[in-house]
Amino acid sequence: AQTVTQSQPEMSVQEAETVTLSCTYDTSESDYYLFWYKQPPSRQMILVIRQEAYKQQNATENRFSVNFQKAAKSFSLKISDSQLGDAAMYFCASQLEGAQKLVFGQGTRLTINP
Amino acid sequence: GAVVSQHPSWVICKSGTSVKIECRSLDFQATTMFWYRQFPKQSLMLMATSNEGSKATYEQGVEKDKFLINHASLTLSTLTVTSAHPEDSSFYICSAKTGMNTEAFFGQGTRLTVV
Protein backbone atom coordinates (compact mmCIF):
# COMPACT_ATOMS: atom_id res chain seq x y z
CA ALA A 1 0.00 0.00 0.00
CA GLN A 2 1.06 3.56 -0.63
CA THR A 3 1.51 5.95 2.25
CA VAL A 4 2.59 9.57 2.33
CA THR A 5 3.73 11.23 5.53
CA GLN A 6 4.18 14.89 6.27
CA SER A 7 5.65 15.22 9.73
CA GLN A 8 5.35 19.00 10.02
CA PRO A 9 1.76 20.06 10.79
CA GLU A 10 2.79 23.73 10.76
CA MET A 11 5.71 25.76 9.52
CA SER A 12 6.40 29.44 9.43
CA VAL A 13 8.94 31.54 7.60
CA GLN A 14 9.87 35.17 7.32
CA GLU A 15 8.93 36.85 4.08
CA ALA A 16 11.74 36.62 1.49
CA GLU A 17 13.38 33.76 3.34
CA THR A 18 13.59 30.11 2.29
CA VAL A 19 11.59 27.28 3.81
CA THR A 20 11.64 23.52 3.26
CA LEU A 21 8.63 21.28 3.75
CA SER A 22 9.25 17.60 4.37
CA CYS A 23 7.54 14.60 2.87
CA THR A 24 8.31 10.91 2.99
CA TYR A 25 6.47 8.15 1.22
CA ASP A 26 6.39 4.42 1.13
CA THR A 27 5.79 2.22 -1.88
CA SER A 28 7.11 -1.05 -3.16
CA GLU A 29 6.75 0.09 -6.75
CA SER A 30 9.61 1.57 -8.76
CA ASP A 31 7.59 3.74 -11.11
CA TYR A 32 5.47 6.50 -9.65
CA TYR A 33 4.87 10.23 -9.59
CA LEU A 34 5.17 12.67 -6.73
CA PHE A 35 3.39 15.98 -6.36
CA TRP A 36 3.15 19.01 -4.15
CA TYR A 37 -0.22 20.73 -4.05
CA LYS A 38 -1.07 24.07 -2.48
CA GLN A 39 -4.45 24.77 -0.90
CA PRO A 40 -4.84 28.47 -0.08
CA PRO A 41 -7.69 29.81 2.07
CA SER A 42 -9.96 29.66 -0.99
CA ARG A 43 -9.66 25.84 -0.68
CA GLN A 44 -8.83 25.52 -4.41
CA MET A 45 -6.17 22.83 -4.89
CA ILE A 46 -3.31 24.05 -7.04
CA LEU A 47 -0.50 21.91 -8.43
CA VAL A 48 2.84 23.38 -7.40
CA ILE A 49 5.31 20.87 -8.77
CA ARG A 50 5.50 17.33 -10.12
CA GLN A 51 8.34 14.79 -10.16
CA GLU A 52 8.58 11.57 -12.11
CA ALA A 53 10.38 8.90 -10.08
CA TYR A 54 12.43 7.75 -13.06
CA LYS A 55 13.96 11.21 -13.41
CA GLN A 56 17.05 11.81 -11.32
CA GLN A 57 16.99 15.55 -11.84
CA ASN A 58 15.01 17.46 -9.26
CA ALA A 59 12.02 19.35 -10.61
CA THR A 60 11.94 23.14 -10.34
CA GLU A 61 9.23 25.69 -10.99
CA ASN A 62 10.43 29.24 -10.49
CA ARG A 63 10.80 29.70 -6.71
CA PHE A 64 9.72 26.15 -5.98
CA SER A 65 12.08 23.19 -6.15
CA VAL A 66 12.16 19.70 -4.77
CA ASN A 67 14.82 17.50 -3.25
CA PHE A 68 13.91 14.01 -4.43
CA GLN A 69 15.82 11.24 -2.70
CA LYS A 70 14.48 8.02 -4.17
CA ALA A 71 16.47 5.63 -2.01
CA ALA A 72 15.39 7.43 1.13
CA LYS A 73 11.83 7.85 -0.21
CA SER A 74 11.97 11.52 0.58
CA PHE A 75 10.44 14.36 -1.42
CA SER A 76 10.88 17.77 0.19
CA LEU A 77 9.68 21.09 -1.20
CA LYS A 78 11.85 24.19 -1.01
CA ILE A 79 10.24 27.58 -1.39
CA SER A 80 12.73 30.37 -2.03
CA ASP A 81 12.09 34.08 -1.53
CA SER A 82 8.85 33.34 0.32
CA GLN A 83 5.96 35.64 -0.46
CA LEU A 84 2.80 36.40 1.48
CA GLY A 85 0.80 34.65 -1.22
CA ASP A 86 2.60 31.41 -0.47
CA ALA A 87 0.67 31.08 2.79
CA ALA A 88 -1.44 27.95 2.43
CA MET A 89 -1.79 24.29 3.28
CA TYR A 90 0.70 22.22 1.31
CA PHE A 91 -0.02 18.60 0.51
CA CYS A 92 2.46 16.05 -0.73
CA ALA A 93 0.95 13.30 -2.88
CA SER A 94 2.00 10.20 -4.75
CA GLN A 95 0.54 8.26 -7.65
CA LEU A 96 1.69 4.92 -8.94
CA GLU A 97 2.50 4.49 -12.63
CA GLY A 98 -0.58 3.17 -14.34
CA ALA A 99 -2.81 4.00 -11.42
CA GLN A 100 -5.42 6.70 -11.30
CA LYS A 101 -5.66 7.93 -7.78
CA LEU A 102 -3.52 10.23 -5.71
CA VAL A 103 -2.56 9.42 -2.14
CA PHE A 104 -2.18 12.55 -0.03
CA GLY A 105 -0.15 13.32 3.04
CA GLN A 106 -1.63 15.00 6.09
CA GLY A 107 -0.62 18.47 4.99
CA THR A 108 1.59 21.25 6.34
CA ARG A 109 0.19 24.67 7.10
CA LEU A 110 2.68 27.32 6.01
CA THR A 111 2.54 30.79 7.51
CA ILE A 112 4.49 33.67 6.02
CA ASN A 113 5.51 36.37 8.51
CA PRO A 114 5.82 39.86 7.04
CA GLY B 1 -4.28 24.78 -17.00
CA ALA B 2 -7.56 23.01 -17.54
CA VAL B 3 -10.62 24.18 -15.62
CA VAL B 4 -12.87 22.08 -13.43
CA SER B 5 -16.01 23.77 -12.18
CA GLN B 6 -17.86 22.53 -9.15
CA HIS B 7 -21.37 23.64 -8.30
CA PRO B 8 -22.67 24.77 -5.92
CA SER B 9 -19.84 26.31 -3.92
CA TRP B 10 -21.87 25.96 -0.78
CA VAL B 11 -25.20 24.46 0.13
CA ILE B 12 -27.33 24.14 3.24
CA CYS B 13 -29.91 21.41 3.41
CA LYS B 14 -32.22 19.93 5.99
CA SER B 15 -31.66 16.53 7.55
CA GLY B 16 -33.26 13.77 5.55
CA THR B 17 -33.12 15.53 2.22
CA SER B 18 -30.78 14.80 -0.68
CA VAL B 19 -28.37 17.19 -2.27
CA LYS B 20 -26.57 16.98 -5.60
CA ILE B 21 -23.13 18.39 -6.34
CA GLU B 22 -21.94 18.79 -9.92
CA CYS B 23 -18.40 18.60 -11.24
CA ARG B 24 -17.74 19.73 -14.80
CA SER B 25 -14.59 19.76 -16.87
CA LEU B 26 -15.01 22.93 -18.91
CA ASP B 27 -12.33 22.67 -21.57
CA PHE B 28 -11.32 19.04 -21.68
CA GLN B 29 -12.81 15.57 -21.65
CA ALA B 30 -12.38 13.83 -18.33
CA THR B 31 -12.18 10.07 -18.59
CA THR B 32 -11.84 9.82 -14.84
CA MET B 33 -13.22 11.93 -12.04
CA PHE B 34 -12.58 11.67 -8.34
CA TRP B 35 -14.59 12.73 -5.32
CA TYR B 36 -12.92 13.69 -2.06
CA ARG B 37 -14.12 14.70 1.35
CA GLN B 38 -12.11 17.07 3.50
CA PHE B 39 -12.72 17.66 7.20
CA PRO B 40 -11.49 20.91 8.79
CA LYS B 41 -7.72 21.10 8.99
CA GLN B 42 -7.36 17.62 7.56
CA SER B 43 -6.22 16.09 4.32
CA LEU B 44 -8.32 15.02 1.37
CA MET B 45 -9.95 11.64 1.76
CA LEU B 46 -10.76 9.87 -1.50
CA MET B 47 -14.35 8.71 -1.55
CA ALA B 48 -14.67 7.24 -5.02
CA THR B 49 -13.29 7.11 -8.53
CA SER B 50 -15.64 7.32 -11.46
CA ASN B 51 -15.02 6.52 -15.09
CA GLU B 52 -17.34 7.79 -17.78
CA GLY B 53 -20.08 5.34 -18.56
CA SER B 54 -19.29 2.86 -15.81
CA LYS B 55 -20.04 2.42 -12.14
CA ALA B 56 -17.95 4.29 -9.63
CA THR B 57 -15.37 2.50 -7.53
CA TYR B 58 -15.81 3.38 -3.88
CA GLU B 59 -13.09 3.42 -1.27
CA GLN B 60 -13.40 1.16 1.71
CA GLY B 61 -15.78 2.51 4.31
CA VAL B 62 -17.68 4.81 1.95
CA GLU B 63 -21.37 3.99 1.68
CA LYS B 64 -22.20 3.78 -2.00
CA ASP B 65 -25.94 3.93 -1.34
CA LYS B 66 -25.51 7.15 0.55
CA PHE B 67 -23.07 8.84 -1.78
CA LEU B 68 -24.39 8.24 -5.28
CA ILE B 69 -21.96 9.05 -8.06
CA ASN B 70 -22.90 9.37 -11.69
CA HIS B 71 -20.45 10.02 -14.51
CA ALA B 72 -22.78 10.11 -17.48
CA SER B 73 -20.61 12.12 -19.83
CA LEU B 74 -16.97 12.99 -20.39
CA THR B 75 -17.51 16.42 -18.90
CA LEU B 76 -19.88 15.86 -15.99
CA SER B 77 -19.90 13.86 -12.80
CA THR B 78 -22.38 14.27 -9.98
CA LEU B 79 -22.28 13.34 -6.32
CA THR B 80 -25.64 13.00 -4.59
CA VAL B 81 -25.68 12.82 -0.82
CA THR B 82 -28.88 10.97 -0.02
CA SER B 83 -30.83 11.33 3.21
CA ALA B 84 -28.26 13.78 4.48
CA HIS B 85 -27.47 14.02 8.20
CA PRO B 86 -25.46 16.59 10.13
CA GLU B 87 -22.46 14.26 10.18
CA ASP B 88 -22.37 14.49 6.38
CA SER B 89 -21.52 18.18 6.71
CA SER B 90 -18.11 18.60 5.16
CA PHE B 91 -16.14 20.06 2.28
CA TYR B 92 -16.43 17.97 -0.89
CA ILE B 93 -13.91 18.32 -3.71
CA CYS B 94 -13.86 16.79 -7.17
CA SER B 95 -10.97 16.37 -9.55
CA ALA B 96 -10.72 15.24 -13.16
CA LYS B 97 -8.10 13.66 -15.38
CA THR B 98 -7.82 13.02 -19.09
CA GLY B 99 -5.81 9.84 -18.76
CA MET B 100 -3.97 7.46 -16.51
CA ASN B 101 -0.74 9.35 -15.84
CA THR B 102 -1.95 12.84 -16.50
CA GLU B 103 -2.34 15.73 -14.10
CA ALA B 104 -5.44 15.93 -11.95
CA PHE B 105 -7.34 19.23 -12.03
CA PHE B 106 -9.44 20.15 -9.05
CA GLY B 107 -12.75 21.89 -8.64
CA GLN B 108 -13.11 24.70 -6.13
CA GLY B 109 -14.99 22.51 -3.69
CA THR B 110 -18.47 22.50 -2.16
CA ARG B 111 -19.18 23.20 1.47
CA LEU B 112 -22.16 21.15 2.57
CA THR B 113 -23.96 21.99 5.81
CA VAL B 114 -26.78 19.75 6.96
CA VAL B 115 -29.06 21.27 9.57
Side-chain angles (χ1 to χ4, degrees):
Chain A
Q2 279 176 276
T3 60
V4 178
T5 302
Q6 293 177 251
S7 58
Q8 305 157 315
E10 296 184 354
M11 291 283 285
S12 64
V13 64
Q14 209 66 26
E15 191 177 3
E17 297 294 307
T18 295
V19 64
T20 298
L21 307 184
S22 301
C23 172
T24 58
Y25 60 93
D26 191 17
T27 178
S28 57
E29 303 294 326
S30 58
D31 295 324
Y32 49 88
Y33 302 87
L34 298 168
F35 306 85
W36 278 98
Y37 281 90
K38 170 184 177 180
Q39 189 180 40
S42 68
R43 308 288 296 265
Q44 173 75 57
M45 294 287 284
I46 302 166
L47 178 63
V48 175
I49 202 163
R50 164 186 167 135
Q51 174 82 43
E52 289 85 354
Y54 64 84
K55 289 187 177 179
Q56 291 187 341
Q57 187 172 8
N58 289 324
T60 63
E61 285 289 339
N62 301 314
R63 299 182 294 108
F64 299 87
S65 61
V66 298
N67 183 2
F68 174 44
Q69 302 289 327
K70 191 171 185 179
K73 296 183 179 176
S74 170
F75 183 60
S76 61
L77 174 70
K78 185 172 83 170
I79 306 174
S80 304
D81 185 25
S82 298
Q83 300 176 0
L84 294 178
D86 295 334
M89 281 290 289
Y90 286 82
F91 293 99
C92 179
S94 70
Q95 177 188 317
L96 297 179
E97 170 77 32
Q100 294 179 317
K101 65 181 183 181
L102 289 164
V103 175
F104 286 93
Q106 305 91 323
T108 297
R109 179 171 300 280
L110 178 64
T111 301
I112 311 295
N113 300 314
Chain B
V3 178
V4 174
S5 176
Q6 200 170 327
H7 178 81
S9 295
W10 60 270
V11 58
I12 302 173
C13 71
K14 292 184 177 180
S15 287
T17 62
S18 296
V19 61
K20 181 185 288 187
I21 302 169
E22 292 187 347
C23 179
R24 292 181 184 273
S25 55
L26 298 186
D27 50 4
F28 67 100
Q29 293 186 326
T31 55
T32 308
M33 288 186 170
F34 306 85
W35 287 95
Y36 297 87
R37 184 171 180 176
Q38 187 179 30
F39 292 103
K41 298 185 179 181
Q42 293 190 25
S43 188
L44 281 71
M45 180 190 77
L46 181 65
M47 299 174 66
T49 301
S50 74
N51 293 292
E52 184 265 340
S54 61
K55 289 184 178 180
T57 301
Y58 290 81
E59 295 297 302
Q60 192 172 7
V62 177
E63 299 176 61
K64 59 183 179 182
D65 293 332
K66 180 166 188 62
F67 298 100
L68 300 179
I69 292 171
N70 183 281
H71 192 165
S73 78
L74 284 171
T75 59
L76 174 65
S77 177
T78 59
L79 167 67
T80 301
V81 183
T82 62
S83 186
H85 291 282
E87 56 265 31
D88 299 324
S89 298
S90 192
F91 193 70
Y92 293 88
I93 305 175
C94 73
S95 72
K97 297 175 69 174
T98 58
M100 193 69 77
N101 295 319
T102 59
E103 178 182 344
F105 298 96
F106 287 81
Q108 70 270 39
T110 297
R111 177 172 300 284
L112 169 64
T113 302
V114 184
V115 298

